[in-house]
Amino acid sequence: MDRYFMQLALKLASKAIGKTSPNPLVGAVLVQNKKIVGKGFHARAGTSHAEIIALTEAGENARGATLYVTLEPCCHHGKTGPCTKAIIKAGVGRVVVAAKDPNPLVSGKGIKEMRDAGIEVETGIMEKESIKLNEVFNKYITSKIPFIVAKAAMSLDGKIATSSGQSQWITGEDARQNAHYLRNCYDAILVGIGTVLSDNPSLTVRLGSGEGRDPVRVVLDSKARTPPSCKMLNQVSSASTYIAVTENADQENIKKLSDVGAKVITFTSSEKGEVDLNALLAFLGKKEITSVLVEGGAMVHGSFIKEKLVDKVVWYIAPLLIGGENAPGPVGGSGYQGLQNALRLYDMKFERCGMDFIVKGYPQK
């Protein structure tokens, strides 16, 4: 029965994917005599935690009940009070925790506090599923560096455009809609100046349901070549746009970009005169941007892979054969000289999406 109720708690937690940053995804289910008496999930930062919602719904029925929660209850004061004290006060008899909270402010302390209060606490039920659900939070809370997802759409023979540069559209409507859902899951979306100049993208979330929120836009643009008239800077959106430049950037264009609302941030250039990616990610982390969806282009993907900054890969593959020696692929740069050094993925997942396929995996580190 423990797995059954924990599965329900995980399902509840997943309802808030893309909405709780910088907080984790958490679901809770209260059970009394095998009957659910309360349930809830954390909807967004600053609102009630899952445990509090479940306890409120249960009322007096929480006394002696079993609480299933996907992440260790917090025991510190943040924007809301500690959940452990509310659990103890409500008289919950048993707590089943999927995974410990990696947050140093909690990290086992919540479990200890409940046990010290006489509550039976069990851990590790569907732990793997909980850790994967909170892969973004788990990295960010321990490193203050955003979780990086590399995303690309290509043909079966590995092309992201024809030799003449045509790229719209390689994948079908279902895959493109799925890509917008993917954008909705992460805090920021990042592209290089090449993508801005060639595609003039909006970098917004366009879901058929009308739901979703636009991620923060980030452009790698060492010389500040972004046109002030580009779509992303001239549309109605609540999302900020950061233009990452170097000290070699055109100062006049920096002013023009700032005048139209862009937040231009200057970073020390790398040996190749490019924006220092590690410095950029540290900056984004300080802004509580916990995750970044890197959409390319090829040189940007190559740079992130070379620096070993990618945490997850999401590749859309269309049943097309484009051909052409000069047609670009999804990963540029110098690449790996030996196959033994190539980036290998694990924990692979393959999905059908309309006529296309989605391949997901994690780089071996």
Side-chain angles (χ1 to χ4, degrees):
M1 293 299 288
D2 284 348
R3 286 185 63 87
Y4 172 78
F5 289 118
M6 187 61 77
Q7 197 164 29
L8 291 179
L10 286 165
K11 189 174 180 179
L12 283 170
S14 67
K15 288 185 175 184
I17 288 176
K19 300 174 182 177
T20 63
S21 178
N23 290 353
L25 294 160
V26 184
V29 175
L30 262 171
V31 178
Q32 183 75 266
N33 297 322
K34 298 183 180 181
K35 180 182 177 181
I36 295 174
V37 293
K39 61 183 184 297
F41 65 93
H42 182 49
R44 61 182 60 84
T47 64
S48 295
H49 289 189
E51 301 95 315
I52 303 303
I53 296 172
L55 288 169
T56 301
E57 184 179 308
E60 284 301 313
N61 288 324
R63 188 162 300 279
T66 296
L67 172 66
Y68 294 87
V69 61
T70 58
L71 191 68
E72 177 182 3
C74 66
C75 55
H76 66 288
H77 284 274
K79 292 181 180 179
T80 59
C83 291
T84 48
K85 288 189 171 17
I87 292 168
I88 294 167
K89 184 178 179 181
V92 172
R94 177 172 175 253
V95 177
V96 181
V97 177
K100 289 184 179 180
D101 190 339
N103 185 345
L105 293 174
V106 185
S107 194
K109 299 184 183 76
I111 291 172
K112 182 178 184 303
E113 186 174 318
M114 291 186 294
R115 283 175 174 162
D116 288 347
I119 297 174
E120 178 188 349
V121 181
E122 293 187 37
T123 63
I125 305 297
M126 301 192 75
E127 180 180 29
K128 183 179 179 181
E129 291 84 351
S130 175
I131 290 172
K132 194 162 189 176
L133 180 67
N134 273 312
E135 59 189 10
V136 168
F137 173 79
N138 293 339
K139 181 194 177 181
Y140 177 76
I141 201 64
T142 54
S143 68
K144 297 304 178 183
I145 300 297
F147 185 87
I148 305 301
V149 180
K151 173 256 180 183
M154 70 178 193
S155 63
L156 191 59
D157 58 341
K159 309 295 185 181
I160 59 172
T162 64
S163 56
S164 65
Q166 183 182 357
S167 61
Q168 297 181 345
W169 297 102
I170 287 177
T171 54
E173 178 61 33
D174 289 343
R176 296 199 299 275
Q177 189 70 3
N178 184 276
H180 279 284
Y181 170 76
L182 193 68
R183 287 180 178 181
N184 188 50
C185 293
Y186 299 105
D187 289 351
I189 180 171
L190 182 148
V191 298
I193 181 59
T195 297
V196 174
L197 295 176
S198 62
D199 296 344
N200 191 19
S202 298
L203 301 183
T204 54
V205 169
R206 300 183 293 279
L207 295 173
S209 60
E211 299 178 356
R213 53 97 182 100
D214 294 337
V216 170
R217 280 73 63 94
V218 182
V219 180
L220 290 177
D221 183 11
S222 58
K223 297 181 180 179
R225 293 188 292 151
T226 299
S229 60
C230 68
K231 285 182 181 178
M232 76 177 76
L233 295 175
N234 292 273
Q235 61 189 352
V236 178
S237 176
S238 59
S240 300
T241 300
Y242 288 100
I243 310 292
V245 305
T246 68
E247 65 274 13
N248 301 317
D250 184 295
Q251 295 301 311
E252 185 177 342
N253 209 40
I254 285 179
K255 184 180 183 307
K256 290 178 180 178
L257 289 168
S258 298
D259 288 345
V260 295
K263 298 180 179 181
V264 183
I265 312 298
T266 302
F267 295 91
T268 302
S269 59
S270 65
E271 293 179 0
K272 293 184 177 181
E274 300 168 345
V275 172
D276 185 320
L277 295 181
N278 286 285
L280 171 62
L281 296 183
F283 167 82
L284 295 176
K286 288 179 181 177
K287 295 294 182 180
E288 290 195 331
I289 293 174
T290 66
S291 57
V292 179
L293 180 65
V294 178
E295 289 203 357
M299 296 303 294
V300 171
H301 280 140
S303 296
F304 271 86
I305 289 172
K306 180 182 178 182
E307 294 294 324
K308 295 181 170 59
L309 297 174
V310 176
D311 297 297
K312 187 176 183 178
V313 170
V314 179
W315 242 238
Y316 294 82
I317 303 175
L320 295 176
L321 297 175
I322 293 176
E325 291 182 3
N326 297 321
V331 181
S334 57
Y336 295 98
Q337 300 304 307
L339 288 176
Q340 70 276 11
N341 299 320
L343 187 66
R344 187 170 296 278
L345 304 180
Y346 70 100
D347 196 9
M348 300 296 293
K349 186 176 181 180
F350 301 84
E351 301 173 12
R352 185 75 180 266
C353 188
M355 294 185 65
D356 305 310
F357 293 89
I358 308 173
V359 180
K360 301 177 182 178
Y362 297 83
Q364 192 168 21
K365 295 187 177 182

